[in-house]
Amino acid sequence: MTKEEAQGATEEEQQAQSKKGQKKQQKEAEKAAKKAEKQAKLAAEQQSTEEDDFAKDRYGMPAMVQSQQKLDRALVRVQDLTPERADQLIWLRARVHTSRAKGKQCFLVLRQQQFNVQALVAVGDRASKQMVKFAANITKESIVDVEAAVRKVEQKIESCSQQDVELHIERIFVVSQAEARLPLQLDDAVRPEAVGEEEGRATVNQDTKLDNRVIDLRTTTSQAIFRLQSGVCQLFRDTLTTKGFVEIQTPKIISAASEGGANVFTVSYFKTSAYLAQSPQLYKQMCICADFEKVFCVGPVFRAEDSNTHRHLTEFVGLDIEMAFNYHYHEVIDSITDTMVQIFKGLRDNFQTEIQTVNKQFPSEPFKFLEPTLRLEFTEGVAMLREAGVEMGDEEDLSTPNEKLLGRLVKEKYDTDFYVLDKYPLAVRPFYTMPDPSDPKYSNSYDMFMRGEEILSGAQRVHDAQLLTERATHHQIDLEKIKAYIDSFRYGAPPHGGGGIGLERVCMLYLGLHNVRQTSMFPRDPKRLTP
Amino acid sequence: SPTFSSTTLKGTTDLDTLLGKDHGALRDIVINANPAQPPLTLLVLHSLLCQRYRVLSTVHVHSSVASVPPQLLSCLGPRHADSYARQLFQLGFTLIWKDVPKLQMKFSIQNMCPIEGEANVARFLFKLLAPYPGDAALATSVDSWVDTAFFQLVEGSAKEQAAVLRALNSALGRSPWLVGPEFSLADVACYCCLLRSGSASVAPANVQRWLKSCENVGHFGSAKALLQ
């Protein structure tokens, strides 16, 4: 190619470009004209609506609620909208879950927490054409105040929780408007994975849900999960309080790691450094030495394990128990297992709606348990595993797959999802674990399992300062750092034992969910620090 | 009247021979029973087993059952003083009150399917106490009486029950126990089923005499207590 030719070619290109440019400009001009026309039309319409809209006081966007006035208006809860309220005129505040305009009427689904109801604005003597249009244009997730008449319906509304009534809206005001684009659709977030795949419809993956946790928490599933979680906490507290336990608060910033130094967060503490508590272990024991006899503690627990699994978090809520006993640490096991059984019973009897709501999205078998709780010994567990073909040493700890397998074997024989494994090998437990008097290879320690996964680790603790020092030395722990702890046993300490449960794990396993992040409101793991 | 001693049930006590190799763990027999139909025969056999072996007995309530009357919770007697150490026992007897349509036994889950029906479980448990008669005719006769007890005395019509009472009466006219010279599972099953059917009071003379002999054996107490 010569230089001229090359130039010619570029000129041609430029010409072509300018031609394109002209066309583009023309198009844009047309577009602008259309837009202007549209706007003019809209303005005209608006004017006309303003002129002849008889219902203009019945809808709109009132001023922001800055507590200007204290209305004496009773707002009815969506869940209370039953046929008994038929033909009453009521006010309620709810979110617009969906809206669907259809000619002269607009159907809305109004949602309040896990309940929803169908509402209808229809052109008539109460609502104008403009009002229906306004209702149809309210963005999803906006919060509205609605005055409406409750009407019974002939046919059950299958898609709503309030199936027997609908609302005929007479007034509608937007209290808080949501942005038009939502980062995720609530309906997509509650769709069971299997259904999504089958129908080729969208489901939302875990990370998107967690990134937009505030919206995800509005789903019926999340609402149910966290109501149930609150129930677990309350049942835990109620049961233990009835048993004569005292709730204590312990510091989370501590000077020494309680369970091995590896997985502990270090924080700078003025001119020195401190740790975030891995468990309230040492403090609840000190409370026992201080004559509190039976204590429990609900609070955050930190683990700096860099494990990205379905069941590990770096911060979770620990439910911890410690109690003095008379002669045998099984008194402690009995107390803890009974507490767990009371929790399971309470959930079974009082949270059936929540359990079923979660089951709709994440189907699972109902949680089964025995009362009193089944207790097996470690050697029995090992024998069951060996019978099933697993090779393992006598003093070897259970690996996670073996734990799950043992859970399946126990479920097959005893049909329980909850059991205790007692008498672990001493070698695999922390230094403060009391050795078994009849066989020093074993210890007075136990784990509790739900659906084959460990939820609680506990033991009788060494309450004798001398033995404790021996055990700590054996574990090569710096005695200087745990001096205060060991000293607390020098002045008379009762025999005692206890254990700690992870709240999130209990909820996850009770509901048969697959990821502990689902039962943590704002989960923390090695890769997630927000929201 | 015939006397009974534990030597009447002679046989092997070697559980390794009966149940296979010892894996170093408690051999736990799990029985799922519906609280609406307490398995009386199994309670009697439990009592006999306790006499022969160190048995760890536990009663549980499965979550499928809302509540269970207190006498069902204590039907295996008071808790053994050593029950904190499972390893000290030869045999576990774990009774679980559960919403099951048919009584069920689970033992060695790797090698055995669950055994259904109180009669079949009773046969299994009795073999841990005494071998069946070596004579095939006698062994079949025991099995036949067990079937008669469960199918005709418990589930049968009044007419069928009356027929069984007549058969029992004539059999007990010939020998002190139902099958042969020794107390057997046939006696346990028929006694318990007669009690459950409520026809013990109208039983003819030989049967009455035999009922007394059974009671003298001394293992029917817990079963009787449940019916009151």
Side-chain angles (χ1 to χ4, degrees), chain A residues 328 330 348 367-377 379-380 383-384 387-388 409 412-415, chain B residues 23 25-26 28 30 59-63 65 83-87 94 96 98 106-111:
Chain A
H328 200 288
H330 281 180
R348 177 190 68 186
F367 190 83
K368 293 175 180 170
F369 55 91
L370 298 176
E371 188 185 11
T373 302
L374 178 70
R375 182 179 62 84
L376 301 175
E377 286 178 13
T379 46
E380 260 182 290
M384 284 174 90
E387 221 187 338
L409 297 174
E412 200 177 326
K413 184 156 180 180
Y414 298 92
D415 199 27
Chain B
H23 286 266
L26 181 70
D28 198 3
V30 176
V59 181
H60 297 273
V61 180
H62 190 261
S63 53
V65 173
S83 65
Y84 58 86
R86 291 170 65 88
Q87 293 306 311
T94 302
I96 301 175
K98 183 176 170 183
K106 290 182 180 178
F107 181 56
S108 168
I109 49 167
Q110 297 295 333
N111 310 312

Side-chain angles (χ1 to χ4, degrees), chain A residues 240-261:
Chain A
L240 290 175
T241 310
T242 333
K243 286 178 187 288
F245 279 74
V246 178
E247 179 162 8
I248 57 164
Q249 305 296 339
T250 62
K252 308 301 170 205
I253 305 175
I254 57 172
S255 61
S258 57
E259 302 175 25

